[in-house]
Amino acid sequence: MADGAYEKVKTARLGSRPTGLDFICGIFTDFIELHGDRRYGDDPAVVGGVAFLGNRPVTVIAIEKGHGTKERMRRNFGAPNPEGYRKSLRLMKQAEKFGRPIVCFVDTCGAFCGVEAEERGQGQAISENIITMSGLGVPILSVLIGEGGSGGALALAVADEVWMLENAIYSVISPEGCASILYKDASKAAEAAESLKLTAHDAHELGVVERILPEGGLGTLEFYAWLGGEIEKTLSRFALLSPEELVERRYRRFRLIGSRAG
Amino acid sequence: MTLLKFLKPKNELEPGGRQSVPITPDENEPSKQCPNCRRLVPESSLWANFNCCPHCGWHFRLSARQRIGFVADPNSFSELFADYRSDDPLGFPGYKKKLELSRRVSGEVEAVVCGAARIKEQPCALFVMEPSFMMGSMGTAVGEKITRLIEYAIEKRLPVVGYTVSGGARMQEGLLSLMQMAKTSAAIRKLGEEKLVYITVLTDPTTGGVTASFAMQGDIIIAEPRATIGFAGPRVIEQTTKRKLPAGFQSAEFLLERGFVDLIVPREKQRQVIGTLLKIHGGAHTDG
């Protein structure tokens, strides 16, 4: 293989990659950030709000890693706490109420593993996002821009379509975690990365994502303009569907994964 | 199967029914050490006590079939989707062997057993996860079986009872396992739209992708005493945070205190409690 899976993992994690907020600011106009889960607090690892895409009002939500050490620490390196997932759920329900489509940008090593996160119900928060998203009557488009770390990423990716940047990854477990469980040796992560089939190409082959977005070739501004156009085209297509059609279509999308006839 | 028949008469929980069984140690009888109080318990007294320690009440792990024997009415369980099993969709190194071994060890072909049953005469769809099959890990077959069971329940207008025990999503099936979280959740949402009740019983351990999907989506969430329930496993948290975890962290009691489970029910009372809950939710609301 010319480009090993673990190389992709390293690329996906590069601090120099654009983050969720970069995508939001590059693609949408009039973005207004809305804070807090109305339950406990505001998680800086999740950024969400309302904006325009062309003339279309949208709700945008991103997992944000931040740039620079200080900012990255403040953002908890893009590992959300339960209140981050609850904030995103609140904004998604708000989007449904006002009939706005939802665009998510996902970039996380995974939901935060910590004592407080467990105390505040990390598993419950993710499970509620997943089940609620499966029934939302507005279009949802999720774009994996860097790391797609397991349930913590899926909690923003139960969508009508999921797209992945060419160098993004999407995995049920980190290759290091997988290697330490399987081989009792985290240094075998490269081997595990190959086995896990976590590249955009793999995810596309497995039917988990609809599109791979090429990186390179375009300058940053042109890329955002192009991606914004692609998102707009897709949202226009989904706008023709009724809430019931959207939900049924989304149900079938996931229903088919890992279901062989017979 | 002979074992199940042997156990059935002790399954009755009528008022004034089964008395606690005196422990008469037999030197030749195999014993198990209770991991909690460290006392040796002869197997016969364990079984007479729902596989719980008669001294301290510690709940030993149960296989899926043993649980079905304890919770379902005698001879009421009819298995569904029994042949459905994962192969090796990613060609993951060593997985085929692991599956073979798990099938030999557990006597099951997959990590969940599904079927139609009655609990205290209340009909329901029942799934029970199997701890000795890769610690109940969720791959495509587990997700598919549970989804089919829920779709079956919708078609037959049955409530769903699910016992969870799982280390989470099965990494050997990669992303396909992860997607089962969305698939099962979407089915459970449909079940809810049909106003059919979904009761989960979280048993030791319930973690990872199972906690973060169908375990925590019960209309009513029951936990077994002292079961470990969480998203991240305790070892991972200790490694990540470099902190020693407080005693009782992620226990059923800890979750109850923080509001994440409805009630803790010891094994011997589960049949009664689930039966009553099913009765309370009997039949869908048709008025209005």
CSV table of all heavy atoms in Angstrom, one decimal, chain B residues 154-199:
chain,number,residue,atom,x,y,z
B,154,ILE,N,-42.2,-4.7,17.0
B,154,ILE,CA,-43.1,-3.7,16.5
B,154,ILE,C,-44.2,-4.4,15.7
B,154,ILE,O,-45.4,-4.1,15.8
B,154,ILE,CB,-42.3,-2.7,15.6
B,154,ILE,CG1,-41.4,-1.9,16.4
B,154,ILE,CG2,-43.3,-1.9,14.8
B,154,ILE,CD1,-40.4,-1.0,15.7
B,155,GLU,N,-43.8,-5.4,14.9
B,155,GLU,CA,-44.8,-6.1,14.1
B,155,GLU,C,-45.8,-6.9,14.9
B,155,GLU,O,-47.0,-6.9,14.6
B,155,GLU,CB,-44.0,-7.1,13.2
B,155,GLU,CG,-44.8,-7.7,12.1
B,155,GLU,CD,-44.1,-8.9,11.5
B,155,GLU,OE1,-42.9,-8.8,11.2
B,155,GLU,OE2,-44.7,-10.0,11.3
B,156,LYS,N,-45.4,-7.5,16.0
B,156,LYS,CA,-46.2,-8.3,16.8
B,156,LYS,C,-46.8,-7.5,18.0
B,156,LYS,O,-47.5,-8.0,18.9
B,156,LYS,CB,-45.5,-9.5,17.4
B,156,LYS,CG,-44.8,-10.4,16.4
B,156,LYS,CD,-45.8,-11.4,15.8
B,156,LYS,CE,-45.1,-12.3,14.8
B,156,LYS,NZ,-46.0,-13.0,13.9
B,157,ARG,N,-46.5,-6.2,18.0
B,157,ARG,CA,-46.9,-5.3,19.1
B,157,ARG,C,-46.6,-5.9,20.5
B,157,ARG,O,-47.4,-6.1,21.4
B,157,ARG,CB,-48.4,-5.0,19.0
B,157,ARG,CG,-48.7,-4.3,17.7
B,157,ARG,CD,-49.9,-3.3,17.8
B,157,ARG,NE,-49.7,-2.3,18.8
B,157,ARG,CZ,-48.9,-1.2,18.7
B,157,ARG,NH1,-48.2,-1.0,17.6
B,157,ARG,NH2,-48.8,-0.3,19.6
B,158,LEU,N,-45.3,-6.1,20.7
B,158,LEU,CA,-44.8,-6.7,21.9
B,158,LEU,C,-43.8,-5.6,22.6
B,158,LEU,O,-43.1,-4.9,21.9
B,158,LEU,CB,-44.0,-7.9,21.7
B,158,LEU,CG,-44.7,-9.2,21.3
B,158,LEU,CD1,-43.7,-10.3,20.9
B,158,LEU,CD2,-45.6,-9.7,22.4
B,159,PRO,N,-43.8,-5.6,23.9
B,159,PRO,CA,-42.8,-4.8,24.6
B,159,PRO,C,-41.4,-5.6,24.5
B,159,PRO,O,-41.4,-6.7,24.1
B,159,PRO,CB,-43.2,-4.8,26.1
B,159,PRO,CG,-44.1,-6.1,26.2
B,159,PRO,CD,-44.7,-6.3,24.9
B,160,VAL,N,-40.3,-4.9,24.7
B,160,VAL,CA,-39.0,-5.5,24.6
B,160,VAL,C,-38.3,-5.4,25.9
B,160,VAL,O,-38.3,-4.3,26.6
B,160,VAL,CB,-38.2,-4.8,23.5
B,160,VAL,CG1,-36.8,-5.4,23.4
B,160,VAL,CG2,-38.9,-4.9,22.1
B,161,VAL,N,-37.7,-6.5,26.3
B,161,VAL,CA,-36.9,-6.6,27.5
B,161,VAL,C,-35.5,-7.0,27.1
B,161,VAL,O,-35.3,-7.9,26.3
B,161,VAL,CB,-37.4,-7.6,28.6
B,161,VAL,CG1,-36.5,-7.7,29.8
B,161,VAL,CG2,-38.8,-7.2,29.0
B,162,GLY,N,-34.5,-6.2,27.5
B,162,GLY,CA,-33.1,-6.5,27.0
B,162,GLY,C,-32.1,-6.5,28.2
B,162,GLY,O,-32.1,-5.6,29.0
B,163,TYR,N,-31.4,-7.7,28.3
B,163,TYR,CA,-30.3,-7.8,29.3
B,163,TYR,C,-29.0,-7.4,28.7
B,163,TYR,O,-28.7,-8.1,27.7
B,163,TYR,CB,-30.3,-9.2,29.9
B,163,TYR,CG,-31.2,-9.4,31.1
B,163,TYR,CD1,-32.5,-9.7,30.9
B,163,TYR,CD2,-30.7,-9.3,32.4
B,163,TYR,CE1,-33.4,-9.9,31.9
B,163,TYR,CE2,-31.6,-9.6,33.5
B,163,TYR,CZ,-32.9,-9.9,33.2
B,163,TYR,OH,-33.7,-10.1,34.3
B,164,THR,N,-28.3,-6.5,29.2
B,164,THR,CA,-27.0,-6.1,28.6
B,164,THR,C,-25.8,-6.6,29.4
B,164,THR,O,-25.9,-6.5,30.6
B,164,THR,CB,-26.8,-4.6,28.4
B,164,THR,OG1,-26.9,-4.0,29.6
B,164,THR,CG2,-28.0,-4.1,27.5
B,165,VAL,N,-24.8,-7.1,28.8
B,165,VAL,CA,-23.5,-7.3,29.4
B,165,VAL,C,-22.6,-7.2,28.2
B,165,VAL,O,-22.7,-8.0,27.2
B,165,VAL,CB,-23.4,-8.7,30.1
B,165,VAL,CG1,-23.9,-9.9,29.3
B,165,VAL,CG2,-22.0,-8.9,30.6
B,166,SER,N,-21.7,-6.2,28.2
B,166,SER,CA,-20.8,-6.0,27.1
B,166,SER,C,-19.6,-5.1,27.4
B,166,SER,O,-19.7,-4.2,28.1
B,166,SER,CB,-21.7,-5.4,26.0
B,166,SER,OG,-20.9,-5.2,24.8
B,167,GLY,N,-18.5,-5.5,26.7
B,167,GLY,CA,-17.4,-4.6,26.8
B,167,GLY,C,-17.5,-3.5,25.7
B,167,GLY,O,-16.6,-2.6,25.7
B,168,GLY,N,-18.5,-3.5,24.9
B,168,GLY,CA,-18.7,-2.5,23.9
B,168,GLY,C,-18.7,-3.0,22.5
B,168,GLY,O,-18.9,-4.2,22.3
B,169,ALA,N,-18.4,-2.1,21.6
B,169,ALA,CA,-18.4,-2.5,20.2
B,169,ALA,C,-17.3,-3.4,19.9
B,169,ALA,O,-16.2,-3.3,20.5
B,169,ALA,CB,-18.3,-1.2,19.3
B,170,ARG,N,-17.5,-4.3,18.9
B,170,ARG,CA,-16.5,-5.3,18.6
B,170,ARG,C,-15.4,-4.8,17.7
B,170,ARG,O,-15.8,-4.6,16.5
B,170,ARG,CB,-17.1,-6.6,18.1
B,170,ARG,CG,-16.2,-7.8,18.0
B,170,ARG,CD,-16.9,-9.0,17.5
B,170,ARG,NE,-17.9,-9.5,18.5
B,170,ARG,CZ,-18.8,-10.4,18.2
B,170,ARG,NH1,-18.8,-11.1,17.0
B,170,ARG,NH2,-19.7,-10.8,19.1
B,171,MET,N,-14.2,-4.6,18.1
B,171,MET,CA,-13.2,-3.9,17.3
B,171,MET,C,-12.8,-4.7,16.1
B,171,MET,O,-12.5,-4.1,15.0
B,171,MET,CB,-12.0,-3.4,18.1
B,171,MET,CG,-11.2,-4.6,18.7
B,171,MET,SD,-10.0,-3.8,19.8
B,171,MET,CE,-9.4,-5.3,20.6
B,172,GLN,N,-13.0,-6.0,16.1
B,172,GLN,CA,-12.6,-6.8,14.9
B,172,GLN,C,-13.5,-6.6,13.7
B,172,GLN,O,-13.2,-7.0,12.6
B,172,GLN,CB,-12.6,-8.3,15.3
B,172,GLN,CG,-11.5,-8.7,16.2
B,172,GLN,CD,-11.9,-8.5,17.7
B,172,GLN,OE1,-12.8,-7.9,18.1
B,172,GLN,NE2,-11.1,-9.1,18.6
B,173,GLU,N,-14.7,-5.9,14.0
B,173,GLU,CA,-15.5,-5.6,12.8
B,173,GLU,C,-15.6,-4.1,12.6
B,173,GLU,O,-16.4,-3.5,11.8
B,173,GLU,CB,-16.9,-6.1,13.0
B,173,GLU,CG,-16.9,-7.6,13.0
B,173,GLU,CD,-18.3,-8.2,13.1
B,173,GLU,OE1,-19.3,-7.7,12.6
B,173,GLU,OE2,-18.5,-9.3,13.8
B,174,GLY,N,-14.6,-3.4,13.2
B,174,GLY,CA,-14.3,-2.0,12.9
B,174,GLY,C,-15.6,-1.1,12.9
B,174,GLY,O,-16.4,-1.2,13.7
B,175,LEU,N,-15.6,-0.2,11.9
B,175,LEU,CA,-16.7,0.7,11.7
B,175,LEU,C,-18.1,0.1,11.6
B,175,LEU,O,-19.1,0.7,12.0
B,175,LEU,CB,-16.5,1.5,10.4
B,175,LEU,CG,-15.6,2.8,10.5
B,175,LEU,CD1,-15.6,3.3,9.1
B,175,LEU,CD2,-16.3,3.7,11.4
B,176,LEU,N,-18.1,-1.1,11.1
B,176,LEU,CA,-19.4,-1.8,10.9
B,176,LEU,C,-20.0,-2.1,12.3
B,176,LEU,O,-21.2,-2.0,12.5
B,176,LEU,CB,-19.2,-3.1,10.2
B,176,LEU,CG,-18.7,-3.0,8.7
B,176,LEU,CD1,-18.5,-4.4,8.1
B,176,LEU,CD2,-19.7,-2.2,7.9
B,177,SER,N,-19.1,-2.3,13.3
B,177,SER,CA,-19.6,-2.5,14.7
B,177,SER,C,-20.2,-1.1,15.2
B,177,SER,O,-21.2,-1.1,15.8
B,177,SER,CB,-18.5,-2.9,15.6
B,177,SER,OG,-18.0,-4.2,15.3
B,178,LEU,N,-19.4,-0.1,15.0
B,178,LEU,CA,-19.8,1.2,15.4
B,178,LEU,C,-21.2,1.6,14.9
B,178,LEU,O,-22.0,2.2,15.6
B,178,LEU,CB,-18.7,2.3,15.0
B,178,LEU,CG,-18.9,3.7,15.5
B,178,LEU,CD1,-18.7,3.7,17.0
B,178,LEU,CD2,-18.0,4.7,14.8
B,179,MET,N,-21.4,1.3,13.6
B,179,MET,CA,-22.7,1.7,13.0
B,179,MET,C,-23.9,0.9,13.6
B,179,MET,O,-25.0,1.3,13.5
B,179,MET,CB,-22.6,1.4,11.5
B,179,MET,CG,-21.6,2.3,10.8
B,179,MET,SD,-22.0,4.0,11.1
B,179,MET,CE,-20.4,4.6,11.7
B,180,GLN,N,-23.6,-0.2,14.3
B,180,GLN,CA,-24.7,-0.9,14.9
B,180,GLN,C,-25.3,-0.1,16.1
B,180,GLN,O,-26.5,-0.3,16.4
B,180,GLN,CB,-24.2,-2.3,15.5
B,180,GLN,CG,-23.6,-3.2,14.4
B,180,GLN,CD,-24.4,-3.3,13.2
B,180,GLN,OE1,-25.6,-3.6,13.2
B,180,GLN,NE2,-23.8,-3.0,12.0
B,181,MET,N,-24.5,0.8,16.6
B,181,MET,CA,-25.1,1.7,17.7
B,181,MET,C,-26.2,2.5,17.1
B,181,MET,O,-27.2,2.7,17.7
B,181,MET,CB,-24.0,2.6,18.2
B,181,MET,CG,-22.9,1.9,19.0
B,181,MET,SD,-21.4,3.0,19.4
B,181,MET,CE,-22.2,4.2,20.5
B,182,ALA,N,-25.9,3.0,15.9
B,182,ALA,CA,-27.0,3.9,15.2
B,182,ALA,C,-28.2,3.0,14.8
B,182,ALA,O,-29.3,3.4,14.9
B,182,ALA,CB,-26.3,4.6,14.0
B,183,LYS,N,-27.8,1.8,14.3
B,183,LYS,CA,-28.9,1.0,13.7
B,183,LYS,C,-29.9,0.5,14.8
B,183,LYS,O,-31.1,0.7,14.7
B,183,LYS,CB,-28.3,-0.2,13.1
B,183,LYS,CG,-29.2,-1.2,12.4
B,183,LYS,CD,-28.5,-2.1,11.4
B,183,LYS,CE,-28.2,-3.4,12.1
B,183,LYS,NZ,-27.5,-4.3,11.1
B,184,THR,N,-29.3,0.0,15.9
B,184,THR,CA,-30.2,-0.4,17.0
B,184,THR,C,-31.0,0.8,17.6
B,184,THR,O,-32.2,0.7,17.9
B,184,THR,CB,-29.4,-1.1,18.1
B,184,THR,OG1,-28.3,-0.2,18.5
B,184,THR,CG2,-28.8,-2.4,17.7
B,185,SER,N,-30.3,1.9,17.7
B,185,SER,CA,-30.9,3.1,18.3
B,185,SER,C,-32.1,3.5,17.5
B,185,SER,O,-33.2,3.9,18.0
B,185,SER,CB,-29.9,4.3,18.4
B,185,SER,OG,-28.9,3.9,19.3
B,186,ALA,N,-31.9,3.5,16.2
B,186,ALA,CA,-33.0,4.0,15.3
B,186,ALA,C,-34.2,3.0,15.4
B,186,ALA,O,-35.4,3.5,15.4
B,186,ALA,CB,-32.5,4.0,13.8
B,187,ALA,N,-33.9,1.7,15.6
B,187,ALA,CA,-35.0,0.8,15.8
B,187,ALA,C,-35.8,1.0,17.1
B,187,ALA,O,-37.0,1.0,17.2
B,187,ALA,CB,-34.5,-0.7,15.7
B,188,ILE,N,-35.0,1.3,18.1
B,188,ILE,CA,-35.6,1.6,19.4
B,188,ILE,C,-36.4,2.8,19.4
B,188,ILE,O,-37.5,2.9,20.0
B,188,ILE,CB,-34.5,1.7,20.5
B,188,ILE,CG1,-33.9,0.3,20.7
B,188,ILE,CG2,-35.0,2.2,21.8
B,188,ILE,CD1,-32.5,0.3,21.4
B,189,ARG,N,-36.0,3.8,18.6
B,189,ARG,CA,-36.8,5.0,18.5
B,189,ARG,C,-38.2,4.7,17.8
B,189,ARG,O,-39.2,5.1,18.2
B,189,ARG,CB,-36.1,6.1,17.6
B,189,ARG,CG,-36.7,7.5,17.7
B,189,ARG,CD,-36.2,8.4,16.6
B,189,ARG,NE,-36.7,7.9,15.3
B,189,ARG,CZ,-37.9,8.1,14.9
B,189,ARG,NH1,-38.8,8.9,15.6
B,189,ARG,NH2,-38.3,7.6,13.7
B,190,LYS,N,-38.1,3.8,16.8
B,190,LYS,CA,-39.4,3.4,16.1
B,190,LYS,C,-40.3,2.6,17.1
B,190,LYS,O,-41.5,2.8,17.1
B,190,LYS,CB,-39.1,2.4,15.0
B,190,LYS,CG,-38.7,3.1,13.7
B,190,LYS,CD,-38.9,2.2,12.5
B,190,LYS,CE,-38.7,2.9,11.2
B,190,LYS,NZ,-38.9,2.1,10.0
B,191,LEU,N,-39.7,1.8,18.0
B,191,LEU,CA,-40.4,1.1,19.0
B,191,LEU,C,-41.2,2.1,19.9
B,191,LEU,O,-42.3,1.9,20.2
B,191,LEU,CB,-39.5,0.2,19.8
B,191,LEU,CG,-40.1,-0.8,20.8
B,191,LEU,CD1,-40.7,-2.0,20.2
B,191,LEU,CD2,-39.0,-1.2,21.9
B,192,GLY,N,-40.4,3.1,20.3
B,192,GLY,CA,-41.0,4.1,21.1
B,192,GLY,C,-42.2,4.9,20.4
B,192,GLY,O,-43.2,5.2,21.1
B,193,GLU,N,-42.0,5.1,19.1
B,193,GLU,CA,-43.1,5.8,18.4
B,193,GLU,C,-44.4,4.9,18.4
B,193,GLU,O,-45.5,5.4,18.4
B,193,GLU,CB,-42.7,5.9,16.9
B,193,GLU,CG,-41.5,6.9,16.7
B,193,GLU,CD,-42.0,8.3,16.4
B,193,GLU,OE1,-42.5,8.5,15.3
B,193,GLU,OE2,-41.8,9.1,17.3
B,194,GLU,N,-44.2,3.6,18.5
B,194,GLU,CA,-45.3,2.7,18.5
B,194,GLU,C,-45.9,2.5,20.0
B,194,GLU,O,-46.8,1.7,20.2
B,194,GLU,CB,-44.9,1.3,18.0
B,194,GLU,CG,-44.5,1.3,16.6
B,194,GLU,CD,-45.6,1.6,15.6
B,194,GLU,OE1,-46.7,1.2,15.9
B,194,GLU,OE2,-45.3,2.1,14.5
B,195,LYS,N,-45.3,3.3,20.9
B,195,LYS,CA,-45.7,3.3,22.3
B,195,LYS,C,-45.6,1.9,22.9
B,195,LYS,O,-46.4,1.5,23.7
B,195,LYS,CB,-47.1,3.8,22.5
B,195,LYS,CG,-47.4,5.1,21.8
B,195,LYS,CD,-46.8,6.3,22.5
B,195,LYS,CE,-47.2,7.6,21.8
B,195,LYS,NZ,-46.1,8.5,21.9
B,196,LEU,N,-44.5,1.2,22.5
B,196,LEU,CA,-44.3,-0.1,23.1
B,196,LEU,C,-43.1,0.1,24.0
B,196,LEU,O,-42.1,0.7,23.7
B,196,LEU,CB,-43.9,-1.1,22.0
B,196,LEU,CG,-45.0,-1.5,21.1
B,196,LEU,CD1,-44.5,-2.2,19.8
B,196,LEU,CD2,-46.1,-2.3,21.8
B,197,VAL,N,-43.2,-0.5,25.3
B,197,VAL,CA,-42.2,-0.2,26.3
B,197,VAL,C,-41.0,-1.0,26.1
B,197,VAL,O,-41.0,-2.1,25.5
B,197,VAL,CB,-42.8,-0.4,27.7
B,197,VAL,CG1,-43.0,-1.9,28.0
B,197,VAL,CG2,-41.9,0.3,28.8
B,198,TYR,N,-39.8,-0.4,26.4
B,198,TYR,CA,-38.5,-1.0,26.3
B,198,TYR,C,-37.9,-0.9,27.6
B,198,TYR,O,-37.6,0.2,28.2
B,198,TYR,CB,-37.7,-0.3,25.2
B,198,TYR,CG,-36.3,-0.6,25.0
B,198,TYR,CD1,-35.9,-2.0,25.0
B,198,TYR,CD2,-35.3,0.3,25.0
B,198,TYR,CE1,-34.6,-2.3,24.8
B,198,TYR,CE2,-34.0,0.0,24.8
B,198,TYR,CZ,-33.6,-1.4,24.8
B,198,TYR,OH,-32.3,-1.7,24.6
B,199,ILE,N,-37.6,-2.1,28.2
B,199,ILE,CA,-37.0,-2.2,29.5
B,199,ILE,C,-35.6,-2.8,29.4
B,199,ILE,O,-35.4,-3.8,28.8
B,199,ILE,CB,-37.9,-3.1,30.4
B,199,ILE,CG1,-39.2,-2.5,30.6
B,199,ILE,CG2,-37.2,-3.3,31.8
B,199,ILE,CD1,-40.2,-3.4,31.3
